[in-house]
Amino acid sequence: MAMSKMKLLITSILLIAVYTAATTEAAPPRGHHHIGVEEEADRIISLPGQPAVSFQQFSGYVTVNHLAGRALFYWLTESPHLPLSKPLVIWLNGGPGCSSVAYGASEEIGPFRINRTSSGLYLNKFSWNNEANLLFLETPAGVGYSYSNHSSDLFDTGDRRTAKDSLQFIIRWMNRFPRYRNREVYLTGESYAGHYVPQLARAIMHYNARSKQKINLKGFMVGNAVTDNYYDNIGTVTYWWSHAMISDRTYHQLINTCDFRRQKTSNECESLYSYAMDQEFGNIDQYNIYAPPCNKSDGSSGATHKTIRLPHRPHGMFRQLSGYDPCTEKYAEIYYNRPDVQKALHANTTGIPYKWTACSEQLNRNWNDTDVSILPIYRELIAAGLRIWVFSGDVDSVVPVTATRYALEQLKLTTKTPWYPWYVKKQVGGWTEVYEGLTFATVRGAGHEVPLFKPRESLQLFRSFLRGEPLPKS
């Protein structure tokens, strides 16, 4: 009898020990929330060649249109510091047709950089996930790993569908990640995301007006942003001339020949653009006119000039990116086509019939609808009280600072804080002016991808934006 009691006691102790061990092992790390089943399926354990990190990562697909079988790919890198207290920041790259994984995540604001051999990753100490939880979205379907089961979708997409699908993505993603439902949300991006971001912000505002479950959108920030056909193009030609990239003769011919208000350029105007790029620019990287281009082994430039199509001119995708290493885009194309990388990211699960590319030429060539101007959307969103920041790297000749200044001037905003230099580490990081409803800032010496060229300064810019504080005056 005593033996039976002893056996029962030992069994109970063993069961308690097993249960304690199991629950301890399953407990989330400190500062992290309980993870649901759907979230858990998207968890990234580790990427090939990834250094150890203290933050959680998730990636996968959200179907945004079941009928067409359109699914958008995302990659979430949470903050290593108290992620539950941090906002959600959604990053979009432009093109149209370019990947947020290739650019935003891998060479701008994400926590990792790809090494020269594409064999692994190293840490970016100026990653924006120091300040927020970052969600990189590949949109629309056809960009990066995002796909559609209707191949016709790749030939007739545009601004409207991109905004609609991206809104559906956020709604459905938040159902999968309920801990983000009431979190502050900010939208960010660059280049043609100068269309995507304000259009998505407006779509969210309209959705919130008719829905009980609202998205807690607080504001957006865009860099070197395509904004208005007419002013972008006038500003770009002016930049080329003022930075001695083109002759007086070509400048006057462009101004007098091209009707920048038209959606489609005349053959004469296109010939002038081609002449300027091929004969007068020389072998430069248009995305940072003072950086060395990525040269091929035969010494020729990696950049090529394609047919111009406003407002995407010059084509944002047909070049090798420049930066501290001007060939970074090549590393991404090797790394993200690796089967082990795709498996770790839960990507390409349906066997997409084409290689992953940083930008989709097919999408770009067949862009179906584009807003001539985003300025009316700015007026609507300023009136709605969103926090809006626009920034410009000042050595970009593709969507240059002059283009942005000409466009923003049309808003006729009241100046709150006049133009002043802002500082990082006792150096001028750029210049800024604060208006009623919008802050404009330049980043000194930065190209089209501001965080690639000026990571420390761009992190300060992001920090000030999130806090709603003016950039530091000293």
Side-chain angles (χ1 to χ4, degrees):
M1 186 73 179
M3 196 67 177
S4 297
K5 280 185 179 178
M6 183 63 75
K7 277 184 179 176
L8 191 64
L9 184 63
I10 291 168
T11 305
S12 300
I13 290 167
L14 283 170
L15 283 170
I16 290 165
V18 168
Y19 174 78
T20 304
T23 52
T24 304
E25 192 177 9
R30 278 184 69 187
H32 293 286
H33 198 269
H34 174 70
I35 304 298
V37 175
E38 275 193 292
E39 287 182 61
E40 191 56 52
D42 283 0
R43 181 194 290 281
I44 298 171
I45 306 303
S46 183
L47 295 168
Q50 178 202 299
V53 294
S54 59
F55 57 85
Q56 300 192 101
Q57 303 180 74
F58 302 84
S59 62
Y61 288 98
V62 172
T63 301
V64 294
N65 186 298
H66 288 282
L67 195 65
R70 285 200 302 275
L72 301 185
F73 181 81
Y74 80 91
W75 180 7
L76 173 71
T77 59
E78 294 194 320
S79 179
H81 320 292
L82 301 170
L84 289 174
S85 68
K86 299 281 198 323
L88 176 70
V89 171
I90 301 171
W91 173 275
L92 304 171
N93 271 95
C98 292
S99 160
S100 298
V101 168
Y103 298 105
S106 302
E107 53 182 57
E108 296 189 76
I109 68 167
F112 302 118
R113 295 280 180 271
I114 303 166
N115 65 24
R116 284 168 179 252
T117 58
S118 301
S119 60
L121 308 169
Y122 60 97
L123 291 172
N124 166 26
K125 67 177 180 178
F126 298 110
S127 172
W128 287 11
N129 81 330
N130 287 305
E131 299 292 329
N133 302 294
L134 302 180
L135 193 158
F136 299 96
L137 175 60
E138 292 196 309
T139 188
V143 171
Y145 293 127
S146 296
Y147 67 88
S148 174
N149 291 337
H150 282 200
S151 55
S152 59
D153 280 349
L154 306 186
F155 293 94
D156 70 347
T157 195
D159 284 14
R160 282 190 293 274
R161 183 189 291 160
T162 302
K164 189 177 175 185
D165 282 1
S166 298
L167 172 62
Q168 280 305 309
F169 169 86
I170 295 172
I171 294 164
R172 292 174 184 184
W173 185 87
M174 284 186 169
N175 287 335
R176 188 178 301 180
F177 286 77
R179 61 202 160 96
Y180 279 97
R181 260 194 207 132
N182 299 312
R183 204 80 61 92
E184 288 190 352
V185 175
Y186 296 91
L187 307 179
T188 53
E190 70 190 10
S191 194
Y192 198 76
H195 279 221
Y196 296 162
V197 166
Q199 287 164 344
L200 177 55
R202 179 178 61 179
I204 290 171
M205 299 296 283
H206 292 178
Y207 166 79
N208 283 347
R210 63 179 190 270
S211 172
K212 286 181 182 174
Q213 184 67 55
K214 300 187 190 311
I215 297 164
N216 189 16
L217 179 67
K218 292 296 184 184
F220 68 84
M221 179 166 73
V222 286
N224 292 78
V226 176
T227 305
D228 178 280
N229 275 17
Y230 178 74
Y231 294 104
D232 284 356
N233 284 292
I234 288 283
T236 298
V237 170
T238 303
Y239 186 91
W240 294 350
W241 177 77
S242 65
H243 285 71
M245 293 167 64
I246 58 172
S247 63
D248 293 357
R249 179 172 173 270
T250 300
Y251 170 71
H252 290 302
Q253 282 182 317
L254 282 163
I255 292 294
N256 294 328
T257 305
C258 298
D259 181 356
F260 296 125
R261 294 192 187 278
R262 286 179 60 189
Q263 191 79 338
K264 195 175 185 319
T265 50
S266 65
N267 291 337
E268 193 181 359
C269 181
E270 282 203 9
S271 296
L272 283 169
Y273 271 114
S274 295
Y275 177 81
M277 291 182 205
D278 295 333
Q279 303 300 318
E280 295 190 340
F281 279 16
N283 179 22
I284 64 165
D285 183 336
Q286 296 168 31
Y287 294 78
N288 181 334
I289 62 173
Y290 301 127
C294 178
N295 289 323
K296 296 173 183 173
S297 54
D298 63 0
S300 64
S301 171
T304 57
H305 304 309
K306 300 281 181 176
T307 307
I308 301 143
R309 211 190 99 186
L310 298 175
H312 322 316
R313 173 233 18 90
H315 261 272
M317 45 198 277
F318 304 108
R319 88 299 187 216
Q320 300 304 328
L321 270 168
S322 72
Y324 299 112
D325 181 342
C327 303
T328 44
E329 185 185 285
K330 291 178 179 177
Y331 314 148
E333 298 223 342
I334 297 169
Y335 189 76
Y336 292 115
N337 276 298
R338 285 173 49 177
D340 58 340
V341 172
Q342 293 183 358
K343 187 179 179 184
L345 282 169
H346 322 116
N348 198 14
T349 48
T350 58
I352 300 166
Y354 46 83
K355 282 180 72 174
W356 181 94
T357 55
C359 294
S360 164
E361 181 172 351
Q362 189 177 45
L363 268 182
N364 187 279
R365 293 282 170 210
N366 296 287
W367 201 251
N368 202 28
D369 69 89
T370 181
D371 276 347
V372 172
S373 178
I374 303 298
L375 295 175
I377 302 178
Y378 273 93
R379 291 187 184 99
E380 184 181 338
L381 298 178
I382 288 168
L386 288 187
R387 182 181 309 157
I388 301 171
W389 282 39
V390 179
F391 64 93
S392 269
D394 62 13
V395 296
D396 171 29
S397 75
V398 177
V399 189
V401 61
T402 41
T404 301
R405 292 180 79 177
Y406 282 169
L408 293 182
E409 190 182 11
Q410 308 315 307
L411 294 172
K412 304 282 189 282
L413 300 173
T414 305
T415 301
K416 270 174 68 178
T417 308
W419 193 266
Y420 70 89
W422 61 275
Y423 286 81
V424 176
K425 292 269 182 180
K426 299 182 179 177
Q427 296 290 318
V428 173
W431 291 266
T432 182
E433 188 149 49
V434 182
Y435 303 100
E436 293 284 353
L438 185 146
T439 293
F440 172 67
T442 74
V443 184
R444 185 167 71 105
H448 190 67
E449 293 178 87
V450 169
L452 171 67
F453 295 97
K454 295 290 181 178
R456 186 189 298 275
E457 289 82 353
S458 79
L459 182 58
Q460 177 59 61
L461 183 80
F462 181 58
R463 190 178 288 133
S464 294
F465 163 71
L466 282 184
R467 294 175 183 174
E469 296 172 353
L471 285 155
K473 288 189 174 182
S474 62

